[in-house]
Amino acid sequence: MWNDPAKTAEEIGRISKPDADGYLRYNAALEELAALVRPLLYKIPPDPGLQSLRDIPHATGTAAFLLRRRRSLAKFTSIMTMSCADFLDRFFTDERIKGALAPGGVIGMWGGPMSPGSAYVLLHHRMGEAAHVSGGWGFVRGGMGGVSEAIAGAARAAGADIEVSAEVTAIDVTGGKARGVTLADGRQLRATVVASAVHPHTTFLTLVGAQHLPAELAEDVRNFRTRSPSAKVNLALSELPDFTARPGTEPGPQHAEIMVSPTLTYLEQAWDDAKYGRPSARPMIDCVIPTTKDPTIAPQGSHIMNCFVQYIPYQPADGPWDDAKRDALATSVIDTIAQSAPNFKDAVTRRQVLTPYDLEQRFGLVGGNIFHGEISPDQLFSLRPSPLAAGYRTPIAGLYLCASGTHPGGGVMGIPGLNASRVIAKDARHRTLSKRA
């Protein structure tokens, strides 16, 4: 698949000529919907109950925006509840083409391609863009930590002090207001504004404490679904995979990203295993080899492959994750890829496995969910993570949310933080004007 839809359609035509035209229609349909939703990513979700005057401009602005695009709105409403399988059936007949495209509808989702709502997940991944390519993915020079370092550099240049390895154990609340944070080493940092970029569960139920929250908000957060079927298997390679269908171990277009999802049925059966607490016997695997674009992140002549794997249960039915189970998962992934690249097993020199449980323990991703909460219609926009914490504000004065558990959800895009900063700055200006008055 290429960034150019026409070039991708040409490739698909070699497998199924009717589906080549279907791909162009599919691409146009997704782009129409993405064009509708993309501007909504930057809008501040109003409180659905409109309990404050400040919510009215956001609500009326959003309503006016949607009214101007009402022709596309009906299609958007349909995709919100449709399954990925049903959506793909509108454009394609060949099961191999549908299998190749379906993973975008289930990445990080607690459900399969035939589950209602998975079509929206497909759209969610289409809304992003890299280098002006809609739905494109970018590699970060130096590895993903480069994103964090760029943000940190900009913050320091603006005068911010950054502390690392400084665990926060509590957000201090007195009289309904955030007063700062307490660190694990006992230090207390005082502040009039606290912006939390961690999971809503962690923010509200662990750091703040339910005793400081309205009962309804505490209940909403407890019910905020944050399950995950996703694992990472990271591999060090002595050479690139030599695919039977497109041979060669020199970097080529087949090496940047590889998807193992032969058909919709294959993907749905992989989900069936996880529903009952079993790692998928035949997993879906989304692999990227960043060293094909940036060779500096591995020793010369070697490569790194990051495998995003579904479906893997957080808690296996036969007991907790242990080294033997992790090793079996890595072997399953390697064996699956080796079916298409016979040299692959011998090329793997090291491996690392991060199950959903490991992702929770290592990165604070509750349930291992990479989006800080499931991407589903009832957990989006003003409902993310709760109507009582819509628009990045919380019932605790001075406490704001700015993580993926807020609108518009997960993905390396920074929009929740951008939107939250606008709200924080607006509130600060309002406080300044009030003091002057």
Side-chain angles (χ1 to χ4, degrees):
M1 299 186 67
W2 304 88
N3 292 336
D4 180 358
K7 198 170 182 180
T8 299
E10 182 181 341
E11 296 274 7
I12 289 174
R14 299 178 183 179
I15 299 172
S16 171
K17 288 186 177 180
D19 286 343
D21 177 65
Y23 181 78
L24 295 176
R25 292 186 291 108
Y26 163 83
N27 184 72
L30 273 186
E31 191 51 44
E32 178 187 352
L33 291 167
L36 168 69
V37 178
R38 200 172 284 126
L40 290 173
L41 304 183
Y42 298 92
K43 292 192 175 294
I44 309 302
D47 179 341
L50 299 179
Q51 298 180 48
S52 170
L53 289 175
R54 68 190 177 194
D55 291 314
I56 295 176
H58 295 312
T60 55
T62 301
F65 172 85
L66 294 174
L67 188 62
R68 291 192 299 269
R69 295 159 177 80
R70 54 190 175 275
R71 290 183 181 274
S72 297
L73 186 58
K75 298 177 183 177
F76 176 67
T77 303
S78 177
I79 202 173
M80 287 290 286
T81 55
M82 189 185 301
S83 75
C84 174
D86 286 340
F87 185 74
L88 292 173
D89 281 344
R90 293 183 171 188
F91 305 97
F92 305 104
T93 58
D94 194 295
E95 287 300 313
R96 294 167 295 178
I97 307 302
K98 289 185 276 189
L101 295 172
V106 298
I107 294 289
M109 179 182 177
W110 187 253
M114 299 177 187
S115 300
S118 53
Y120 174 77
V121 179
L122 189 71
L123 176 62
H124 183 83
H125 287 95
R126 181 56 175 254
M127 288 186 291
E129 57 185 20
H132 307 293
V133 176
S134 179
W137 298 96
F139 290 102
V140 181
R141 287 190 179 90
M144 287 301 293
V147 175
S148 301
E149 288 300 330
I151 296 170
R156 291 188 182 104
D161 293 323
I162 298 176
E163 288 202 35
V164 297
S165 301
E167 180 186 354
V168 175
T169 57
I171 295 173
D172 301 326
V173 178
T174 306
K177 294 183 179 180
R179 306 293 183 177
V181 298
T182 296
L183 305 185
D185 62 10
R187 283 183 296 160
Q188 291 184 316
L189 306 181
R190 301 299 82 187
T192 55
V193 169
V194 175
S196 177
V198 298
H199 196 288
H201 279 194
T202 307
T203 299
F204 286 124
L205 302 181
T206 302
L207 299 179
V208 172
Q211 70 273 20
H212 295 295
L213 303 174
E216 185 179 350
L217 174 58
E219 187 65 16
D220 284 350
V221 175
R222 291 189 189 99
N223 291 330
F224 188 67
R225 297 187 307 282
T226 186
R227 299 165 295 186
S228 173
S230 309
K232 288 292 295 291
V233 175
N234 299 315
L235 305 172
L237 306 178
S238 59
E239 64 177 354
L240 291 172
D242 187 9
F243 292 106
T244 303
R246 195 155 189 164
T249 56
E250 291 300 312
Q254 72 273 33
H255 288 125
E257 181 175 15
I258 305 103
M259 191 77 72
V260 179
S261 176
T263 65
L264 279 171
T265 300
Y266 177 102
L267 193 53
E268 185 71 14
Q269 288 174 342
W271 160 237
D272 286 340
D273 282 340
K275 280 191 301 187
Y276 302 105
R278 302 186 299 268
S280 299
R282 304 175 68 200
M284 180 208 88
I285 311 171
D286 183 2
C287 313
V288 294
I289 307 179
T291 42
T292 61
K293 304 297 181 183
D294 180 12
T296 66
I297 59 175
Q300 187 174 4
S302 299
H303 290 276
I304 294 169
M305 176 184 274
N306 307 126
C307 303
F308 184 91
V309 186
Q310 286 186 200
Y311 291 85
I312 307 301
Y314 173 89
Q315 175 69 58
D318 60 353
W321 285 100
D322 56 24
D323 290 345
K325 288 189 176 74
R326 291 184 181 90
D327 192 59
L329 173 56
T331 299
S332 173
V333 169
I334 293 167
D335 288 348
T336 300
I337 297 171
Q339 292 176 17
S340 302
N343 72 322
F344 192 68
K345 285 186 183 181
D346 292 336
V348 176
T349 58
R350 295 190 68 179
R351 54 199 196 176
Q352 177 195 48
V353 175
L354 297 172
T355 69
Y357 174 80
D358 299 324
L359 294 174
E360 177 183 80
Q361 297 301 305
R362 184 165 180 166
F363 302 112
L365 299 173
V366 177
N369 191 284
I370 60 173
F371 298 134
H372 283 201
E374 295 174 33
I375 301 293
S376 57
D378 63 324
Q379 294 195 167
L380 294 175
F381 203 53
S382 293
L383 305 178
R384 189 172 185 86
S386 162
L388 296 180
Y392 313 101
R393 297 181 179 94
T394 74
I396 298 171
L399 175 62
Y400 298 83
L401 305 181
C402 58
S404 297
T406 64
H407 170 74
V412 184
M413 54 181 166
I415 297 178
L418 173 65
N419 289 349
S421 70
R422 291 163 51 204
V423 172
I424 293 169
K426 182 178 180 180
D427 288 353
R429 290 192 298 269
H430 178 73
R431 285 194 300 271
T432 300
L433 291 173
S434 297
K435 289 178 180 178
R436 289 176 180 173

